[in-house]
Amino acid sequence: MQINKPIVDKLIMFEEQKNYSFHVPGHKHGLLSTLPWKESLTYDVTELTGLDDLHSPETIIAQAQQLLTQDNNTISSYFLVNGSTVGNLTMLYATCNAGDTIIVQRNCHKSIFNAISLIGLKPIYITPEWDEVTNTATSINITLLKEAHEAFSITAIVLTTPNYYGVLANELREVITYCHTNNIIVLIDEAHGAHFGATAAFPKSALAYGADIVVQSAHKTLPAMTMGAFLHINSERINQKKVELYLGMLQSSSPSYPIMASLDDARHFKANYTDEDFLYFTKIKSKFIASLTAIKGILVITTDDPLKLLVRYEGVTGFELQTELEKQKIYAELADIYQVLLLLPMLKNAMTFQFEEIIVGVQLASEKLAHYLKSTPPTTNYHKAITQPKFSPIEMEEKPACYVNIYEGIGKVAAETLVPYPPGIPICLAGEVITKEMTKEIIMLLEIGAYFQGNHRLNEKLICVMKEA
Ligand SMILES: Cc1ncc(COP(=O)(O)O)c(C=O)c1O
């Protein structure tokens, strides 16, 4: 149980004083703004006397971060105003040096790839496991991790858990213990698990398994504003000064007070979430699932995270289901070829949500979907592998690239990363040598209508490769 909300309370007091603004931001408490929500800009202030400084916190921000630290039982926890993106960049900058070799889950977020490029790291990619129930890529297998460790001298490992769909990494405790026994620092991108550990009914955070540093997007599942995130230092292996140095370099020098206040609020919300709240949430959720599954054609799949629901409609893609749901004003978190992902509100006791209206909308969507042409979603050819790119991202920066016919690309170094959905795991990453198997898989996926992310020219049968390789 935590009582105070130091940043929220101070902002309310400050606003009530109706101070005169001769300072930034230029909207002057919303006066010059034409936004319909300009009233709320009265709380959008800056580092004024009494409002502390995120980059050198001593009062309200220090107190709020201290409460976050206590709630998570960490060495030190921080508010981030540039999302898990800045948390991921910081955790790599603070733990690795240029030229270090690190293990990375092949389907990690682009902020990890960006950190690898910016720092000049040498990545070893491990393809994650595939979960047949949710049809999603999950975690790396410990046997592959051991193989990679035996072949290379590794400084750190970056894991993503849970995945977007709320599926947890397998054997996380064993993986972390193995890494620590072998002097490998464990960095966890827990962007989708900021609510973990709120009560014993939620999955445990990787912090509880001893991960050294963990980043969470508070804005994804807790009631924080977009871009609000947390970074937790959880072991003596992490140099706290370095973390603070990089947070200072990488985050805005004008951090948003509305975002910081929302982080204070989200921290308080989670710290005070009770078993009774969870019981209430579970009852409402079960009723919602029962109503959904009573609709003809709808299939619901639950995952490790109680806040995530996967919804499918027999014989149509997740994209088609998403289109019909949006016509009913129902916006899912995402769609893939198999399903849509619903992110449920983490309701507390007596809170309500429009589940009954939503069921009416899903019913109407399903009546439209009944007339769609039915097909079976494709399954993908899936390989477990450890790969080392021929060139690291930094080595590739100055090298010229060109498009060649997809078959001529075999044996050349890819200058672009190709990520098909499904399964959302890159087939080739920039810097890797393109193999015959990769090319065959790309062709097969194009034929079955898989969607490839990014600006590629695969539909013209062209692939981007490095010129001299
Ligand atoms: C696994 C993962 N890590 C990091 C991020 C970046 O998070 P943020 O949007 O908070 O910067 C995302 C965003 O979707 C993500 O899915």
Side-chain angles (χ1 to χ4, degrees), residues 63-99:
Q63 289 155 18
Q65 292 192 145
Q66 186 53 32
L67 288 165
L68 181 71
T69 303
Q70 276 166 15
D71 187 47
N72 288 279
N73 199 19
T74 56
I75 291 178
S76 198
S77 294
Y78 301 84
F79 286 173
L80 313 180
V81 291
N82 296 78
S84 284
T85 298
V86 81
N88 284 344
L89 289 169
T90 300
M91 70 179 181
L92 277 155
Y93 266 111
T95 52
C96 301
N97 296 309

Side-chain angles (χ1 to χ4, degrees), residues 82-86 88 109 111 160 164 189 191-192 217 219-220 229:
N82 296 78
S84 284
T85 298
V86 81
N88 284 344
H109 185 255
S111 52
T160 308
Y164 221 118
D189 177 350
H192 298 278
S217 290
H219 69 92
K220 291 193 193 296

Side-chain angles (χ1 to χ4, degrees), residues 28 68 82 92 148 207 218 260 277 326 388 403:
K28 305 290 166 195
L68 181 71
N82 296 78
L92 277 155
L207 291 167
M260 289 190 282
D277 292 329
E326 288 186 0
Q388 181 186 31
Y403 281 95

Side-chain angles (χ1 to χ4, degrees), residues 102-321:
I102 63 164
I103 292 178
V104 182
Q105 200 169 311
R106 195 173 175 84
N107 62 333
C108 66
H109 185 255
K110 65 181 174 192
S111 52
I112 304 286
F113 290 119
N114 290 341
I116 290 169
S117 294
L118 286 165
I119 304 167
L121 299 173
K122 294 192 173 142
I124 303 297
Y125 297 114
I126 298 188
T127 306
E129 302 273 274
W130 182 252
D131 177 37
E132 303 277 350
V133 177
T134 57
N135 272 335
T136 63
T138 60
S139 53
I140 68 168
N141 169 295
I142 193 160
T143 314
L144 284 185
L145 163 64
K146 288 180 183 169
E147 257 177 59
H149 171 242
E150 277 157 25
F152 303 96
S153 169
I154 306 293
T155 307
I157 180 168
V158 188
L159 301 172
T160 308
T161 178
N163 73 4
Y164 221 118
Y165 300 77
V167 183
L168 296 169
N170 283 324
E171 309 173 305
L172 189 58
R173 190 187 290 281
E174 290 77 3
V175 166
I176 293 174
T177 307
Y178 175 82
C179 289
H180 286 166
T181 314
N182 291 285
N183 279 327
I184 300 171
I185 304 176
V186 181
L187 286 59
I188 306 277
D189 177 350
E190 198 171 65
H192 298 278
H195 57 299
F196 280 13
T199 74
F202 284 99
K204 283 194 171 93
S205 162
L207 291 167
Y209 298 121
D212 297 299
I213 186 162
V214 174
V215 169
Q216 301 173 325
S217 290
H219 69 92
K220 291 193 193 296
T221 49
L222 293 174
M225 284 173 65
T226 299
M227 292 176 81
F230 300 139
L231 181 147
H232 306 284
I233 296 179
N234 198 37
S235 91
E236 302 294 345
R237 290 179 196 87
I238 305 298
N239 180 333
Q240 193 169 336
K241 275 218 171 95
K242 260 180 126 177
V243 168
E244 289 172 10
L245 176 76
Y246 284 106
L247 283 179
M249 287 186 190
L250 297 168
Q251 297 209 94
S252 169
S253 63
S254 308
S256 154
Y257 273 81
I259 294 178
M260 289 190 282
S262 79
L263 284 170
D264 193 17
D265 192 44
R267 182 265 319 148
H268 182 270
F269 179 92
K270 181 188 160 200
N272 295 299
Y273 200 87
T274 62
D275 291 336
E276 196 190 359
D277 292 329
F278 187 78
L279 205 65
Y280 172 79
F281 163 80
T282 309
K283 261 194 206 150
I284 296 215
K285 175 181 162 185
S286 305
K287 206 170 144 201
F288 180 53
I289 295 179
S291 307
L292 281 175
T293 44
I295 298 171
K296 194 162 180 273
I298 294 278
L299 177 71
V300 178
I301 293 155
T302 55
T303 74
D304 298 319
D305 181 351
L307 298 187
K308 302 285 170 89
L309 280 190
L310 310 184
V311 181
R312 298 180 187 168
Y313 187 95
E314 240 175 8
V316 307
T317 66
F319 302 114
E320 290 167 321
L321 174 55

Side-chain angles (χ1 to χ4, degrees), residues 6-7 10-11 50-52 58-65 257 264:
I7 304 177
K10 185 73 187 185
L11 280 192
L51 296 188
D52 210 3
E58 289 179 353
T59 59
I60 51 167
I61 298 174
Q63 289 155 18
Q65 292 192 145
Y257 273 81
D264 193 17

